[in-house]
Amino acid sequence: MHSSRCILLTFISISLLPRVVAQNTAAPDLPSAPSAVSQEKKNQGKAQQSAPSVQGASGAQPEAAPPGPKSAASVPQNAAAPPGAETGSSSTDEPTATFRRRVNEVNVVFTVTDKHGRYVNDLTKNDFSIIDDQKPALEVRSFHRETDLPLQVGLLVDASNSVRDRFKFEQEAAIEFLNQTIRPRYDQAFIVGFDVTPEVTQDFTDNTDLLSVGVRGLRPGGGTAMYDALYFACRDKLLKAPQTGPTRRAIILLSDGDDNQSHVTREEAVEMAQRAEVSIYAISTNINGGGSHGDKLLERIADATGGRAFFPFQLREVSDAFSEIQNELRSQYALAYTPANLAPNGSYHSIEILAQNHKGLRVRSRHGYYAPTN
């Protein structure tokens, strides 16, 4: 009996390997946020009334497609789950024990500017107070002036038809930014182009030549699914990227902000960015000088995640925006604090960092985070 069982388990492990590899190398599945799941159910209901091979108008995958990752609320826990945890094996069958320790500690990276917009880099821990869910933090456990923090950067480029006018120039400006920002053996970046679906043209690397090839490989396409692309980049790339210490995670988003194809909502995309501790820096591709509906959406997304939105009108201002983002990524503070009340219930906590004893200073950070769950 024991030998037969071992042979069966070995066969199962080998047979699953090609499927895992295929999922990693194929085009990403549609994000499985709550709104996307609801839409998929509607599409399945419609499909039962028509031919099985016909897709819905929203472009949802047919039922034979492999299921996508689970919802946004379960991502941090699923990422940490040990392999094989879902098989239902008893504890006596596990060869090794998995030890988990939850630390009630929140990490925040933030930027401080004066009333003229200049970065302030010489403040200390005593210059700040932290309000977590309207209560003062119990303790600031660590504080650093992080002017040299390792970077994990995702460059997301809108490749829809609506951004064709300045597409070539924006590609070259993005390449210049990557060449000046990504340091070998220290920083990492990846490239995603998106129209109706996100496509990784270059995965995480510190090789700026490969990143340049990935940017130049982008081609304008069809509609725009910006929220899906943000959700995918945060959940499937940055949230799962290994970290050996404090790291600055950011997304540089080039888009006109007009989304007409996404399965997830703006709120779900922002929530996933907050879970992944990602700041979003948006560079508008509109040429009307700002104020459009898409520009307002870009500004809201950037503000909620502790980033900034830029609205270049002339071509040279696109390069200026990239330079400003580079300066900000090198002008950071990082602190870790203990909240007054952090129950493991997955609830949302607001964050407010105040620069005390100094007038006219502005602190920019993500607006909040989600508590862990058991």
Side-chain angles (χ1 to χ4, degrees):
M1 285 295 293
H2 291 291
S3 60
S4 300
R5 182 181 181 183
C6 293
I7 293 173
L8 177 60
L9 290 175
T10 303
F11 172 76
I12 293 174
S13 299
I14 294 175
S15 64
L16 287 178
L17 181 58
R19 179 182 293 268
V20 173
V21 174
Q23 288 178 345
N24 289 336
T25 57
D29 291 331
L30 291 174
S32 297
S35 66
V37 173
S38 176
Q39 183 63 36
E40 288 172 0
K41 289 181 179 179
K42 292 180 180 179
N43 292 337
Q44 290 174 0
K46 293 179 181 179
Q48 291 176 355
Q49 302 175 4
S50 59
S53 60
V54 178
Q55 295 185 4
S58 64
Q61 298 293 328
E63 291 185 272
K70 294 185 179 180
S71 66
S74 64
V75 167
Q77 289 72 40
N78 290 344
E86 70 279 4
T87 59
S89 300
S90 65
S91 58
T92 56
D93 293 333
E94 297 179 358
T96 58
T98 301
F99 296 95
R100 297 184 184 181
R101 180 171 63 94
R102 186 178 71 247
V103 179
N104 290 336
E105 182 177 288
V106 179
N107 297 289
V108 185
V109 177
F110 59 97
T111 304
V112 181
T113 54
D114 62 18
K115 59 183 179 180
H116 301 291
R118 295 175 299 212
Y119 298 110
V120 180
N121 299 322
D122 58 352
L123 302 178
T124 67
K125 178 176 70 173
N126 296 328
D127 291 314
F128 299 98
S129 61
I130 300 95
I131 307 299
D132 183 293
D133 238 15
Q134 302 181 357
K135 296 180 181 179
L138 292 180
E139 177 187 9
V140 177
R141 300 177 62 90
S142 65
F143 178 88
H144 302 282
R145 288 189 291 270
E146 296 289 2
T147 59
D148 205 32
L149 201 66
L151 301 177
Q152 291 179 338
V153 177
L155 178 65
L156 270 62
V157 181
D158 188 339
S160 64
N161 282 322
S162 60
V163 298
R164 286 178 179 270
D165 292 341
R166 303 193 299 184
F167 192 75
K168 182 66 175 179
F169 181 86
E170 288 160 354
Q171 283 178 299
E172 296 305 318
I175 290 172
E176 182 181 0
F177 163 79
L178 293 168
N179 287 334
Q180 295 178 356
T181 304
I182 303 302
R183 298 161 295 179
R185 300 182 301 276
Y186 200 64
D187 303 317
Q188 294 272 315
F190 63 94
I191 312 298
V192 171
F194 65 93
D195 43 24
V196 294
T197 57
E199 177 187 5
V200 178
T201 58
Q202 176 56 55
D203 211 337
F204 273 113
T205 183
D206 61 354
N207 187 320
T208 55
D209 290 336
L210 293 177
L211 292 169
S212 298
V213 172
V215 173
R216 291 195 174 99
L218 298 169
R219 297 289 183 270
T224 308
M226 181 180 69
Y227 302 145
D228 282 2
L230 286 170
Y231 192 92
F232 164 75
C234 291
R235 182 194 65 181
D236 295 295
K237 305 305 297 179
L238 289 162
L239 186 62
K240 297 180 180 180
Q243 289 180 302
T244 57
T247 303
R248 183 71 163 109
R249 288 177 167 175
I251 282 177
I252 317 300
L253 172 65
L254 276 78
S255 177
D256 60 7
D258 292 329
D259 190 303
N260 55 25
Q261 292 286 336
S262 282
H263 288 67
V264 305
T265 65
R266 182 189 72 196
E267 291 75 16
E268 288 165 340
V270 169
E271 176 184 334
M272 185 53 62
Q274 292 171 335
R275 290 184 181 277
E277 300 181 5
V278 173
S279 296
I280 298 173
Y281 293 86
I283 300 178
S284 173
T285 58
N286 289 310
I287 58 175
N288 56 7
S292 69
H293 176 69
D295 284 346
K296 292 178 181 178
L297 288 176
L298 293 176
E299 191 168 23
R300 291 170 186 169
I301 292 171
D303 182 63
T305 59
R308 291 176 63 186
F310 299 85
F311 308 101
F313 180 68
Q314 299 178 350
L315 286 179
R316 62 175 178 82
E317 293 175 344
V318 177
S319 297
D320 294 341
F322 274 112
S323 296
E324 187 66 18
I325 294 172
Q326 180 188 5
N327 291 335
E328 177 156 327
L329 292 175
R330 301 301 182 197
S331 303
Q332 307 286 328
Y333 294 91
L335 63 80
Y337 69 90
T338 303
N341 183 21
L342 186 61
N345 56 11
S347 62
Y348 178 80
H349 284 237
S350 61
I351 299 176
E352 186 177 11
I353 302 177
L354 305 175
Q356 53 193 12
N357 305 322
H358 295 274
K359 293 183 179 180
L361 296 186
R362 181 190 177 190
V363 179
R364 187 168 61 252
S365 71
R366 57 189 171 118
H367 289 182
Y369 66 96
Y370 288 84
T373 57
N374 287 330

